């Protein structure tokens, strides 16, 4: 029966949910994870197998003893035998073999070191749940997967990795084990851990472990003997291999990734072979090992995807075991606790602060898992747990962002770890890569969801994207393999009440990534475009051969029209290539339009959205009947830009998804004008942060420089500037050296480390807004260094509503003494007190450029206020000092009121009056109060407003000018209105 027919009988086309019922229907609590997902283990297998080791000394070192506590795992026969054979088991060759395997299999892949601190396999490992299975259970149809059905699934026996070779239910010794699981469940990492355990003496059942990568074997077409195969991969075992068959050595062969091999167990297809010295194809060695015709006493463990399990006849398998992932939230919590609590996780920050932040992250993540949110279903796969930890490390502990560290890079590398260059089905003649198939099918579903702004998909949606174009036997076979091996990696049942029979992307951001990949790869084509492309390729391939034939025929026969006709025919491919270039314009247009969607202007920035999707949103949960918010897909255009970066294109090339340099260049050129024109407009702060993040992800320095050069003012007020966002801003702005007219970082949660990161950017800003950032004395030290830098161009600095304090004022005072660019300094409500003001006054005389100084709301008394004003009188350029809302007495007020600009050269803004007239700055003072009221002590503001009102009434009574009285009454009414709103809480 063909696989397509089996597909139709086992998994009816009408129910996509049935392809999910496998391992998730077997949830249960049991200890056990992969520290690193997917294909990482297979990469290490290939490295080991291609590396030749040095030869070993022949001498014996000492007897390799098993664990005395595991005597049941070692039959007595293993302790008896010929002395020479036991010497083989205890030789230095096996010791060296263990050392070599341990060194290789303990290595973490590049992605592990690139996106966070590198951890040893022993330090961060939680074994996934393994459940005993059977061939009948694998082949039988499964019920629809819903949350209710998952709870009703029969519980299968949990078995540990070290007990896979125990006797079966009938008492027979198990020799061959098939360990299977879908993509992302941790097969390769589990095998890595098994090898490392054996190397460290934690797997005493076996005296020799020989791992093979089936991917590596599939690339070898020459005949080779088992003996030569082993010594070729592990040269130091050359003294052990000759006596493998004759000795009682307990040997375990590991065959990782069996789906990469095409095995034929028919005698007509693979002949019997029992001689380890006979050269045969590598697939024949594997078949005869599994038949137990070659080295019958050896144990074998095979890892594979579910679709390839049936390639081994059931009579050759002693036990089937399924890797079920983290089927309990306690396992997920354990993994996150171990991973996020590692000492090196938080970088170089202070130990106390980093530990508190790590504990807070783990706590928030645990609470979100306990809510049985969609992330709980996602972290069922150990590989997604790795992605969550890597993303959190990127969001919270990234202090600098080298080009290799981008969000798109994390997702691209995550897919490479899990898929590498694997083909979907090794038996299919097309050899389409798994990732290419995903981009064409799942990418189409993701794109349609983004365009229609939905995240939940019905079975009808799945059928339309996956099955509508299935026309051949090969296409049906590929779809069946995809459904059994890969579908659960990307889509899972929705956990929201009332939507149990719909599907969502396991990780929400993956929908936007795959949609972006679908568009950038040019898969979004009309029927005419597809037909035109295929016809163009066919004509292009045969054109050269036909040209030769036509030239010969035209010389013999007088058919002059043939060359002309053929030349016209050759025009079609060139014409179509020009028309297809319009596709790049379409991609660029889609990217620009999605990046600047006005309906998304006032959402949180994308980095905060990702953080919320992982850690959840604190506060009461939404009622099921409450209307949900519209779905937001602001990562979609950012991922499109990130995929076009050179590094991500190189990784995607390895996955079988090719994006040519010319295509990337043409898309960037087509997009440039639109993006830069729209970027010049006044974008809301969160949208501007998304734009800067897009430029960072795009990794095109020339494009970014042109875009940034057009930004004269950067307003990021109220955006929570995490270390990552500060690094992104610094990285993007560093592509040019132009001066920035204004940088607004009001209420951005900045601290001293943020200022250090942004230092090169701040130097080039003329107007710098740093209000409401809790900047204390440490931050003022950074600001001092900034203002004293010889390249500083800051002319206006606003530090209002920061706890600067006396020590901070001393740092700023020293900066004032040596600065040559600052003209305006606002220290409104910065807790200076009299000592801070005295420090400012002491160094103010050495400054030659300051024109305006705001010391309002700082609890200054008469002495400090008059001291500042006295220095200001002698200052060459300082003409305005703000002193309102300070503790100034009537005597101090009169002294300050007597100042005259024409006589003293300075104006002090203290009250709303100026002698017997209204101050010219009364509206400015009231506006300052109104803007800052949410951050000030309301009772104190009320008292000051009452004093201002009293002063207005007193001054009005002293003038007989009706025009001035009218002005006083107008200002009094504004103050009374403000007092009334303040008392009833409406202000």
């Amino acid at each position: 029966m063909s696989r397509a027919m089996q597909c139709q009988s086992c998994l009816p086309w009408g129910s996509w949910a049935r392809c999910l019922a496998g391992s998730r229907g077997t949830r249960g609590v049991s200890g056990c994870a992969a520290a690193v997902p997917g294909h990482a283990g297979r990469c290490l297998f290939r490295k080991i197998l291609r590396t030749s080791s040095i030869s070993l000394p022949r001498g014996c070192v000492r007897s390799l003893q098993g664990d005395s506590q595991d005597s049941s795992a070692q039959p007595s026969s293993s302790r008896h035998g010929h002395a020479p054979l036991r010497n083989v088991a205890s030789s230095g060759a096996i010791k060296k073999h263990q050392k070599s395997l341990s060194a290789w299999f303990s290595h973490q892949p590049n992605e592990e070191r690139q996106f966070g601190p590198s951890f040893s396999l022993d330090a961060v490992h939680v074994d996934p749940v393994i459940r005993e299975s059977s061939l009948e259970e694998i082949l039988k149809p499964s019920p629809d997967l819903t949350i209710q059905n998952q709870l009703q699934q029969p519980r299968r026996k949990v078995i540990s990795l070290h007990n896979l070779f125990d006797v079966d239910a009938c008492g027979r010794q198990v020799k061959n084990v098939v360990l299977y699981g879908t993509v992302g469940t941790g097969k390769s990492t589990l095998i890595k851990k098994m090898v490392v355990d054996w190397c460290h003496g934690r797997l005493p059942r076996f005296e020799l472990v020989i791992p093979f990568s089936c991917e590596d074997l599939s690339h070898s077409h020459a005949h080779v003997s088992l003996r030569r195969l082993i010594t070729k991969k592990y040269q130091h075992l050359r003294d052990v291999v000759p006596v493998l068959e004759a000795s009682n050595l307990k040997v375990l062969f590991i065959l990782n990734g069996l789906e990469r091999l095409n095995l034929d167990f028919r005698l007509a297809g693979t002949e019997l072979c029992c001689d380890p010295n006979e050269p045969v194809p590598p697939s024949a060695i594997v078949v005869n090992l599994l038949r137990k015709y070659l080295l019958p006493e050896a144990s074998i463990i095979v890892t594979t995807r579910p679709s390839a399990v049936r390639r081994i006849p059931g009579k050759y398998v002693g036990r089937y075991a399924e890797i079920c992932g983290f089927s309990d939230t306690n396992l997920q919590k354990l993994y996150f606790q171990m991973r996020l609590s590692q000492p090196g996780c938080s970088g170089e920050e202070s130990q106390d602060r980093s530990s508190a932040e790590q504990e807070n992250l783990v706590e928030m993540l645990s609470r979100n898992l306990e809510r049985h949110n969609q992330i709980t279903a996602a972290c069922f796969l150990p590989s997604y747990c790795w992605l969550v930890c890597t993303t959190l490390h990127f969001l919270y502990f990234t202090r600098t962002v080298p080009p290799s560290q981008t969000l798109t890079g994390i997702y691209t590398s995550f897919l490479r770890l899990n898929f590498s260059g694997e083909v979907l089905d090794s038996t299919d003649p097309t050899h389409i890569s798994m990732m290419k198939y995903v981009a064409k099918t799942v990418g189409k579903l993701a794109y349609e969801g983004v365009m229609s702004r939905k995240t939940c998909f019905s079975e009808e949606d799945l059928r339309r994207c996956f099955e509508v174009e299935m026309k051949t036997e090969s296409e049906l076979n590929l779809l069946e393999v995809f459904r059994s091996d890969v579908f659960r990696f990307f889509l899972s049942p929705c956990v929201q009440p009332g939507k149990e029979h719909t599907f969502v992307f396991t990780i929400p951001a993956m929908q936007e990534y795959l949609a972006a990949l679908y568009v950038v790869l040019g898969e979004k084509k009309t029927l005419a475009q597809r037909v035109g492309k295929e016809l163009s390729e066919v004509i292009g391939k045969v054109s050269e051969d036909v040209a030769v034939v036509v030239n010969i025929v035209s010389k013999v026969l007088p058919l002059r029209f043939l060359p002309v006709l053929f030349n016209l025919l050759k025009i079609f491919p060139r014409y179509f290539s020009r028309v297809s270039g319009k596709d790049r314009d379409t991609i660029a247009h889609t990217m620009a339009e999605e990046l600047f969607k006005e309906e998304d202007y006032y959402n949180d920035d994308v980095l905060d959205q990702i953080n919320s999707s992982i850690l959840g949103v604190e506060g009461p949960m939404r009622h099921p009947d409450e209307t949900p918010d519209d779905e937001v897909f602001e990562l979609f255009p950012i991922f499109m830009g990130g995929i076009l970066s050179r590094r991500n294109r190189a990784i995607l090339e390895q996955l079988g998804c090719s994006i040519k340099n010319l295509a990337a260049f043409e898309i960037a050129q087509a997009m440039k004008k639109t993006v830069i024109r729209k970027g010049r407009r006044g974008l809301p702060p969160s949208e501007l942060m998304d734009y800067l993040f897009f430029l960072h992800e795009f990794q095109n320095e020339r494009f970014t420089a042109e875009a940034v050069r057009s930004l004269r003012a950067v307003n990021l007020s109220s955006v929570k500037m995490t270390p990552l966002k500060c690094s992104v801003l610094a990285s993007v702005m560093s592509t040019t050296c132009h001066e920035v007219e204004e940088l607004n970082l009001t209420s951005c949660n900045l601290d001293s480390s943020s200022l250090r990161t942004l230092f090169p950017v701040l130097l080039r800003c003329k107007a710098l807004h740093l209000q409401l950032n809790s900047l204390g004395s440490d931050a003022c030290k950074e600001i001092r260094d900034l203002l004293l830098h010889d390249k500083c161009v800051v002319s206006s600095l606003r530090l209002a509503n920061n706890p600067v304090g006396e020590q901070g004022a001393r740092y700023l005072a020293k900066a004032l003494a040596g600065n040559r660019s600052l003209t305006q300094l606002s220290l409104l409500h910065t807790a200076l007190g009299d000592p801070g003001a005295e420090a400012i006054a002491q160094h103010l005389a050495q400054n030659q450029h300051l024109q305006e100084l705001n010391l309002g709301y700082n609890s200054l008394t008469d002495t400090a206020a008059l001291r500042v004003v006295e220095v200001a009188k002698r200052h060459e350029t300082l003409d305005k000092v703000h002193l309102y809302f300070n503790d100034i007495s009537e005597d101090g007020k009169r002294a300050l009121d007597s100042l005259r600009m024409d006589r003293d050269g300075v104006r002090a803004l203290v009250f709303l009056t100026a002698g017997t007239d209204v101050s010219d700055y009364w509206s400015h003072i009231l506006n300052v109060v109104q803007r800052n009221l949410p951050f000030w002590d309301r009772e104190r503001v009320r008292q000051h407003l009452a004093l201002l009102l009293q002063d207005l009434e007193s001054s009005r009574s002293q003038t007989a000018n009706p025009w001035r009285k009218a002005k006083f009454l107008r200002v009094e009414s504004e103050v009374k209105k403000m007092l009334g709103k303040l008392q009833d809480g409406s202000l």
Side-chain angles (χ1 to χ4, degrees):
M1 182 185 294
S2 71
R3 192 182 301 157
M5 294 299 293
Q6 291 172 346
C7 165
Q8 293 177 3
S9 62
C10 297
L11 291 171
W13 296 108
S15 178
W16 269 90
R18 296 183 185 180
C19 72
L20 283 173
S23 63
R24 291 205 193 179
T26 59
R27 296 197 173 195
V29 182
S30 176
C32 312
V36 182
H39 201 79
R42 278 164 278 184
C43 296
L44 286 174
F45 270 110
R46 291 199 298 274
K47 288 180 182 177
I48 293 170
L49 299 178
R50 291 171 184 161
T51 303
S52 299
S53 303
I54 350 175
S55 59
L56 299 183
R58 297 176 181 271
C60 300
V61 183
R62 59 192 174 104
S63 178
L64 180 65
Q65 300 295 336
D67 189 345
S68 60
Q69 296 178 355
D70 196 22
S71 58
S72 61
Q74 297 188 11
S76 58
S77 61
S78 67
R79 297 189 178 89
H80 302 287
H82 305 293
L85 302 183
R86 297 312 304 158
N87 287 337
V88 169
S90 61
S91 69
I94 292 182
K95 289 287 188 183
K96 189 162 188 177
H97 179 60
Q98 287 179 320
K99 184 177 180 181
S100 175
L101 286 183
S102 176
W104 276 106
F105 279 81
S106 296
H107 286 170
Q108 299 289 18
N110 291 334
E111 286 77 8
E112 180 71 12
R113 297 188 294 272
Q114 177 183 338
F115 297 112
S118 181
F119 306 123
S120 69
L121 198 60
D122 288 336
V124 183
H125 184 82
V126 183
D127 289 333
V129 173
I130 304 175
R131 295 190 181 277
E132 195 164 359
S133 183
S134 65
L135 186 61
E136 294 76 15
E137 190 167 358
I138 296 169
L139 297 179
K140 74 179 181 181
S142 302
D144 291 351
L145 180 63
T146 61
I147 300 303
Q148 290 78 9
N149 284 344
Q150 285 184 31
L151 299 176
Q152 297 169 5
Q153 287 294 314
R155 302 292 185 184
R156 291 177 292 166
K157 178 184 175 182
V158 175
I159 186 169
S160 71
L161 185 66
H162 292 186
N163 295 329
L164 288 175
F165 290 93
D166 288 351
V167 295
D168 61 14
C170 300
R172 294 187 295 262
Q173 183 65 45
V174 173
K175 289 293 185 181
N176 291 351
V177 173
V178 173
L179 186 65
Y180 69 94
T182 59
V183 174
T185 50
K187 301 183 294 296
S188 295
T189 307
L190 197 63
I191 291 301
K192 279 176 57 181
K193 184 64 166 58
M194 185 178 190
V195 172
V196 171
D197 282 351
W198 175 75
C199 294
H200 294 164
R202 294 192 291 267
L203 194 64
R205 180 191 294 269
F206 301 106
E207 296 166 311
L208 178 61
V209 171
I210 304 177
F212 284 114
S213 166
C214 292
E215 180 182 4
D216 197 34
L217 295 179
S218 69
H219 295 314
S220 176
H221 303 292
H223 288 212
V224 64
S225 67
L226 176 61
R227 177 178 178 179
R228 175 61 184 145
L229 184 63
I230 295 175
T231 55
K232 180 182 176 182
K233 306 300 181 183
Y234 308 106
Q235 288 188 8
H236 39 265
L237 291 181
R238 64 173 180 264
D239 294 333
V240 179
V241 172
V243 293
L244 276 181
E245 192 173 17
S247 69
N248 291 324
L249 202 64
K250 300 300 179 182
V251 181
L252 171 65
F253 285 97
I254 297 177
L255 302 173
N256 189 48
L258 188 75
E259 66 275 358
R260 305 301 296 267
L261 280 177
N262 294 327
L263 303 182
D264 189 350
F265 280 82
R266 298 173 304 161
L267 289 176
T270 305
E271 63 180 5
L272 296 174
C273 174
C274 62
D275 184 2
N277 298 311
E278 181 181 350
V280 293
S283 60
I285 293 178
V286 173
V287 168
N288 282 289
L289 281 172
L290 291 169
R291 283 172 173 167
K292 291 305 170 193
Y293 205 73
L294 186 61
L295 298 184
E297 294 303 317
S299 299
I300 302 172
I301 184 169
V302 173
T303 68
T304 184
R305 302 198 306 257
S307 64
V309 170
R310 65 191 73 180
R311 295 184 188 178
I312 306 176
K315 62 182 178 181
Y316 298 128
V317 180
R319 174 171 282 125
Y320 292 95
E322 180 183 12
I323 302 180
C324 300
F326 294 158
S327 53
D328 185 81
T329 55
N330 289 326
L331 299 180
Q332 300 171 12
K333 290 181 183 179
L334 178 61
Y335 179 90
F336 293 134
Q337 178 72 36
M338 294 174 66
R339 182 64 187 266
L340 294 174
S341 299
Q342 289 296 308
C345 185
S346 57
E348 300 177 355
E349 293 294 309
S350 65
Q351 188 64 35
D352 294 339
R353 178 179 173 183
S354 62
S355 298
E357 193 166 14
Q358 288 171 296
E359 291 174 5
N360 186 47
L361 276 180
V362 172
E363 178 63 28
M364 292 176 68
L365 193 53
S366 296
R367 286 203 298 268
N368 203 23
L369 290 171
E370 289 167 1
R371 296 189 187 108
H372 300 288
N373 208 328
Q374 198 66 50
I375 191 176
T376 310
C379 292
F380 164 81
L381 293 172
S383 58
Y384 273 113
C385 292
W386 180 88
L387 180 61
V388 166
C389 288
T390 303
T391 305
L392 287 176
H393 185 275
F394 179 68
L395 292 176
Y396 281 88
F397 304 122
T398 301
R399 307 305 174 195
T400 58
V401 280
S404 59
Q405 286 200 0
T406 64
L407 187 66
T408 314
I410 289 176
Y411 276 76
T412 306
S413 298
F414 170 70
L415 293 174
R416 193 197 71 80
L417 282 170
N418 285 279
F419 293 98
S420 188
E422 285 192 61
V423 296
L424 182 61
D425 184 5
S426 61
T427 63
D428 186 78
T430 62
H431 292 288
I432 184 172
S433 75
M434 196 182 298
M435 197 61 229
K436 180 70 172 179
Y437 188 88
V438 167
K440 291 166 67 73
T441 54
V442 187
K444 180 182 179 182
L445 179 72
Y447 174 75
E448 291 183 357
V450 169
M451 290 298 100
S452 57
R453 300 179 79 83
K454 70 176 183 179
T455 56
C456 294
F457 303 92
S458 64
E459 289 196 6
E460 182 59 34
D461 296 326
L462 300 180
R463 226 177 349 257
R464 185 174 63 256
C465 288
F466 289 93
E467 301 177 13
V468 70
E469 296 181 2
M470 297 294 105
K471 300 175 182 177
T472 66
E473 180 82 2
S474 174
E475 290 173 336
L476 291 175
N477 289 341
L478 288 174
L479 181 60
E480 162 61 10
V481 173
F482 169 78
R483 293 173 67 173
S484 64
D485 295 352
V486 189
F487 183 77
R488 277 179 286 181
F489 184 83
F490 292 104
L491 292 159
S492 58
C494 184
V495 301
Q496 294 181 22
K499 296 183 179 181
E500 292 85 355
H501 294 281
T502 62
F503 299 89
V504 296
F505 277 83
T506 309
I507 290 288
M510 188 61 75
Q511 176 180 353
E512 296 173 80
Y513 181 93
L514 293 178
L517 184 61
Y518 176 77
V519 174
V520 173
L521 287 176
E523 295 295 337
K524 188 176 76 71
K525 291 185 176 70
T526 63
L527 179 60
Q529 287 174 324
R530 291 194 187 118
V531 172
K533 182 181 179 182
E534 292 174 3
L535 185 60
S536 173
E537 290 175 353
V538 171
I539 293 175
K541 288 177 182 177
V542 304
S543 60
E544 294 182 3
D545 297 334
V546 175
V548 175
V549 175
V550 169
N551 287 333
I552 294 173
V553 172
S554 64
K555 291 178 180 179
V556 178
L557 300 175
L559 301 176
R560 301 293 183 184
F561 68 91
L562 283 178
V564 177
L565 179 63
F566 183 69
N567 286 332
L568 290 174
L569 190 63
K570 288 198 296 183
I571 292 175
F572 181 78
R574 292 197 296 269
Y575 172 76
F576 181 79
S577 67
R578 292 180 182 177
V579 174
S580 63
K582 298 294 183 182
D583 291 347
R584 280 88 188 245
D585 293 341
T586 303
I587 294 172
H589 177 75
T590 301
M591 197 183 307
E593 289 299 317
E594 291 294 324
L595 186 61
F596 297 105
K597 268 193 171 181
E598 292 189 6
E599 55 263 41
D600 296 335
Y601 267 14
Y602 297 99
N603 299 320
D604 291 338
D605 63 79
V606 292
L607 294 174
D608 284 349
Q609 292 175 27
I610 295 172
N611 183 66
S612 298
S613 70
I614 295 176
L615 300 180
V617 179
E618 296 296 322
M621 297 182 66
R622 184 191 300 276
H623 191 274
D625 297 332
E626 188 178 346
T627 304
D629 297 331
D630 290 337
E631 299 293 347
V632 178
F633 296 98
E634 294 182 89
L635 269 175
F636 170 54
I638 292 174
F639 276 143
M640 288 178 70
I643 287 171
L644 288 172
S645 70
R646 184 181 296 274
R647 181 181 177 276
N648 286 317
R649 284 189 285 117
I651 297 176
L652 288 168
E653 181 77 32
Q654 300 172 21
L655 297 176
C657 299
S658 178
I659 304 170
K660 302 299 182 185
N661 289 333
L662 180 60
F665 174 77
E666 290 178 346
I667 292 171
Q669 287 297 108
M671 182 178 59
K672 185 180 296 182
K673 288 184 179 179
T674 305
V675 168
I676 292 177
R677 186 183 72 250
K678 293 190 174 184
R680 282 198 195 102
R681 300 183 310 188
L683 296 174
S686 61
E687 193 69 15
L688 179 58
M689 187 68 240
D690 290 346
Y691 179 46
L692 295 172
F693 189 59
F694 165 79
L695 295 175
H696 167 70
E697 293 283 313
F698 196 29
Q699 293 293 304
N700 185 323
E701 189 168 341
R702 182 180 298 176
F703 183 97
T704 301
E706 291 189 39
V708 170
R709 203 173 288 115
S710 66
L711 295 176
R712 292 297 173 181
V714 178
N715 180 10
L716 296 174
S717 60
S718 300
V719 173
K720 185 179 180 181
M721 294 299 291
T722 62
L724 172 61
K725 293 177 190 175
C726 291
S727 299
V728 167
L729 176 59
S731 174
V732 170
M733 298 297 288
S734 67
T735 55
T736 70
C737 56
H738 77 288
E739 292 183 0
V740 180
E741 295 294 331
E742 181 181 4
L743 176 59
N744 190 342
L745 295 175
T746 301
S747 189
C748 289
N749 290 84
L750 299 180
D751 56 18
S752 57
S753 63
S754 305
L755 296 181
R756 278 194 296 273
T757 303
L758 294 172
F759 194 91
V761 181
L762 303 181
L763 282 175
R764 295 154 39 200
C765 298
K766 292 184 178 179
L768 188 55
H769 300 266
L770 299 176
Q771 307 96 301
L772 294 163
N773 277 299
S774 301
L775 299 177
S777 58
D778 290 341
C780 290
K781 189 185 299 184
E782 301 297 329
I783 296 172
R784 176 201 63 187
D785 297 340
L786 171 73
L787 294 176
L788 292 177
H789 198 281
D790 57 354
K791 293 184 179 179
C792 177
V793 299
V794 177
S795 60
S796 176
L797 176 61
R798 299 183 181 277
L799 288 169
N801 300 304
N802 283 298
V804 171
E806 179 184 347
Q807 184 58 47
R810 296 186 187 281
Y811 290 131
L812 295 177
K814 293 178 182 177
L816 278 177
N819 179 263
R820 297 293 179 269
S821 63
L822 197 63
T823 59
Q824 293 180 323
L825 176 62
S826 175
L827 295 174
L828 175 71
H829 191 219
T830 50
L832 300 182
D834 283 356
E838 288 286 350
I840 296 287
Q842 183 180 352
H843 291 79
L844 192 57
Q846 301 173 48
N847 180 279
Q848 312 242 334
H849 302 276
L850 195 65
Q851 299 174 8
E852 184 175 352
L853 176 64
N854 192 335
L855 299 179
Y857 203 156
N858 273 298
S859 302
L860 304 187
T861 62
D862 295 357
T863 304
L866 291 171
R867 168 82 170 119
V868 170
V869 170
E870 285 299 322
V871 176
K873 283 182 182 181
R874 298 189 296 272
H875 198 281
E876 294 181 6
T877 59
L878 186 60
D879 60 10
K880 194 182 299 179
V881 179
H882 300 251
L883 293 170
Y884 38 80
F885 276 64
N886 280 304
D887 300 332
I888 299 174
S889 66
E890 284 296 323
D891 293 338
K893 174 184 177 299
R894 282 192 294 272
L896 294 172
D897 279 346
S898 65
L899 293 173
R900 293 291 180 269
M901 177 61 72
D902 54 351
R903 185 188 67 208
D904 302 307
V906 66
R907 184 185 298 276
L909 308 183
V910 185
F911 289 92
L912 302 180
T913 60
T916 58
D917 198 359
V918 174
S919 170
D920 294 336
Y921 299 95
W922 71 267
S923 59
H924 170 78
I925 295 173
L926 291 182
N927 285 334
V928 169
V929 174
Q930 190 160 358
R931 283 198 309 269
N932 291 279
L933 190 58
F935 322 108
W936 289 358
D937 181 356
R938 287 176 171 262
E939 179 58 29
R940 186 171 179 183
V941 171
R942 191 191 62 77
Q943 292 175 5
H944 275 285
L945 286 176
L947 288 174
L948 291 177
L949 182 60
Q950 183 180 351
D951 181 63
L952 284 168
E953 293 172 346
S954 174
S955 297
R956 176 167 54 85
S957 65
Q958 295 175 18
T959 182
N961 189 319
W963 175 246
R964 289 184 178 179
K965 284 184 179 289
K967 287 171 65 178
F968 275 116
L969 289 172
R970 180 191 171 192
V971 179
E972 287 175 31
S973 66
E974 292 293 331
V975 175
K976 289 177 180 178
K977 190 186 300 182
M978 190 176 291
L979 274 170
K981 290 182 178 180
L982 189 61
Q983 289 175 352
D984 61 24
S986 60
L987 188 63

